[in-house]
Amino acid sequence: MAEAEVYLFTGPENGEKNDAVDTIRKAAAKKNGALDEYKYYASEARVADVVAQLQNVSLFSSALFIRLKNAELIKAKSDVELLVSYIKSAADSPNTLILESDENSIEKKIESAVPGNHRHIFWELFENQKPQWVQRYFQRNGFSVTPDAVEQILDMVENDTESLRSECSRFFYCFAAGHTVTAEDVDKILSHNREENAFTLFDALCDDTKSPRDRLESALGILQKIRLSRDSRSFTLVSGLTYCFRQLRLWHGLFAKGASPTDAQLRAAGFAGKKVQARCRRAAKIWGPGTTSSILALLADTDMAIRSTGTAQEDVRLTMLLYAVVIKNGLYPAEYEVQ
């Protein structure tokens, strides 16, 4: 019996996840010819609209290829039932639906409906795999890299292969093939051309070596750079911060009541890398479990407020969000305060 062309890709390793999506896309194009491709976010698109599109015949191509990201946000009973019903009836459909999430799992009823061999968790690389990945990536592109340069790259870049591939490829435009990339090169290329994002913003927010006022100043500077960058959407920023604080909430749960989880338990929970573990340790010193929950509620409220009021107040709301996280421990101030 044919299986529905529905896939569930979860986990933090977005580079390998995107490679898997490309493989499925090529197979779908080979089988069906031209594809109509769409990418949706569960916080923006209605599940009913996505399912209706999948069920209708496309006028311009033989099949649809849809990526629905942030699938962990699909929780409403009606949305879950509608999506499960589609998955169970889609065995004969030429259309492809890929559900994606940076979390390790989504609503269990949806997971169970997706064919078992179409579900995959993309874990972060193990710590001893990361230097090897960077070295191989440079070698495949005709470059070599010194060990201290590799270490510096891993310290500066998010350790999923998508981020590493993007940042390492910068060197290929700056040096001729055969060049050996050194730590000095890394400082010149990455330090002075570093793109800020939700993760670097979170790092600034939880820098426990600085006072709250200094952390806020650093965070506001990064926010300004993000808002001037190519991807300045508030949704992307709030979504990234929400992911970081969800990780922190899970971290608090693992260490609740004096527990000491093993390395295997940390890896199973999505904390495979030393970098993310160090980040969560720093953050846990600043925000306890209750404060973390308050901040997550604040992030959700901020996201909804921006979506309902439009872009006019985006910058103000994002600034007040950071102020509330750093100074007020997740409590949004009723009015501006003079410190």
Side-chain angles (χ1 to χ4, degrees):
M1 179 179 176
E3 292 181 320
E5 288 299 313
V6 179
Y7 299 81
L8 174 60
F9 291 161
T10 58
E13 218 312 294
N14 289 315
E16 292 186 2
K17 191 185 300 179
N18 287 334
D19 290 342
V21 170
D22 286 339
T23 298
I24 294 171
R25 180 190 292 109
K26 291 175 182 177
K30 183 177 181 180
K31 179 180 179 181
N32 300 298
L35 300 174
D36 262 352
E37 298 187 33
Y38 299 88
K39 182 191 294 184
Y40 297 113
Y41 292 86
S43 59
E44 296 178 332
R46 295 174 63 243
V47 171
D49 293 338
V50 175
V51 170
Q53 185 178 16
L54 287 162
Q55 291 174 329
N56 291 331
V57 177
S58 174
L59 298 177
F60 305 104
S61 64
S62 55
L64 296 173
F65 188 91
I66 294 180
R67 299 175 67 175
L68 182 55
K69 301 175 79 68
N70 299 122
E72 75 279 358
L73 300 178
I74 305 173
K75 295 182 180 297
K77 182 179 179 181
S78 58
D79 288 341
V80 172
E81 291 178 347
L82 182 60
L83 191 54
V84 168
S85 177
Y86 168 75
I87 295 171
K88 291 181 177 178
S89 65
D92 296 324
S93 173
N95 298 329
T96 300
L97 171 64
I98 302 181
L99 303 168
E100 300 179 46
S101 173
D102 290 340
E103 304 284 339
N104 295 335
S105 63
I106 65 171
E107 168 63 42
K108 294 302 180 185
K109 290 182 179 179
I110 301 175
E111 284 193 9
S112 299
V114 176
N117 61 332
H118 288 187
R119 302 194 299 259
H120 189 83
I121 301 176
F122 292 86
W123 300 105
E124 184 181 357
L125 294 176
F126 288 117
E127 203 65 27
N128 62 350
Q129 294 176 312
K130 295 172 184 177
Q132 298 173 7
W133 189 96
V134 173
Q135 290 170 347
R136 287 198 299 268
Y137 187 70
F138 277 100
Q139 290 170 356
R140 285 199 303 270
N141 287 277
F143 291 76
S144 56
V145 57
T146 63
D148 55 342
V150 171
E151 183 177 352
Q152 190 166 346
I153 289 171
L154 292 174
D155 283 341
M156 296 178 63
V157 181
E158 285 301 309
N159 288 175
D160 65 273
T161 56
E162 181 181 36
S163 299
L164 287 170
R165 185 182 291 120
S166 174
E167 295 300 308
C168 291
S169 63
R170 294 187 182 202
F171 295 92
F172 309 152
Y173 299 99
C174 299
F175 302 103
H179 179 78
T180 297
V181 176
T182 65
E184 289 76 16
D185 295 331
V186 174
D187 186 61
K188 291 178 183 176
I189 303 302
L190 296 189
S191 294
H192 299 295
N193 298 282
R194 186 183 185 186
E195 289 189 6
E196 305 288 4
N197 53 42
F199 297 100
T200 61
L201 177 57
F202 186 77
D203 283 337
L205 291 171
C206 67
D207 185 351
D208 60 342
T209 66
K210 295 181 178 180
S211 68
R213 188 179 293 276
D214 288 340
R215 285 192 285 122
L216 178 60
E217 183 178 348
S218 297
L220 290 175
I222 292 173
L223 173 63
Q224 184 178 30
K225 291 180 181 179
I226 293 174
R227 297 294 287 163
L228 294 172
S229 67
R230 289 173 297 176
D231 190 359
S232 62
R233 296 176 302 168
S234 62
F235 163 77
T236 303
L237 176 60
V238 174
S239 177
L241 287 177
T242 298
Y243 172 77
C244 292
F245 278 101
R246 282 177 178 164
Q247 275 194 314
L248 178 58
R249 181 174 60 186
L250 179 57
W251 181 270
H252 280 306
L254 291 172
F255 287 87
K257 297 181 180 179
S260 299
T262 64
D263 287 341
Q265 289 172 322
L266 289 174
R267 287 196 299 270
F271 300 99
K274 290 184 178 179
K275 185 174 182 179
V276 68
Q277 291 180 19
R279 171 189 289 150
C280 286
R281 287 192 184 95
R282 291 195 305 271
K285 294 179 183 178
I286 299 173
W287 303 294
T291 302
T292 301
S293 296
S294 295
I295 292 173
L296 283 168
L298 173 65
L299 285 162
D301 289 344
T302 300
D303 188 50
M304 287 189 291
I306 290 174
R307 293 180 192 280
S308 62
T309 59
T311 60
Q313 296 295 315
E314 260 188 339
D315 288 321
V316 173
R317 290 190 180 278
L318 291 173
T319 298
M320 293 304 293
L321 167 68
L322 298 186
Y323 175 82
V325 168
V326 177
I327 305 297
K328 305 295 291 183
N329 287 329
L331 300 176
Y332 199 88
E335 58 186 22
Y336 290 96
E337 302 173 358
V338 178
Q339 296 290 322

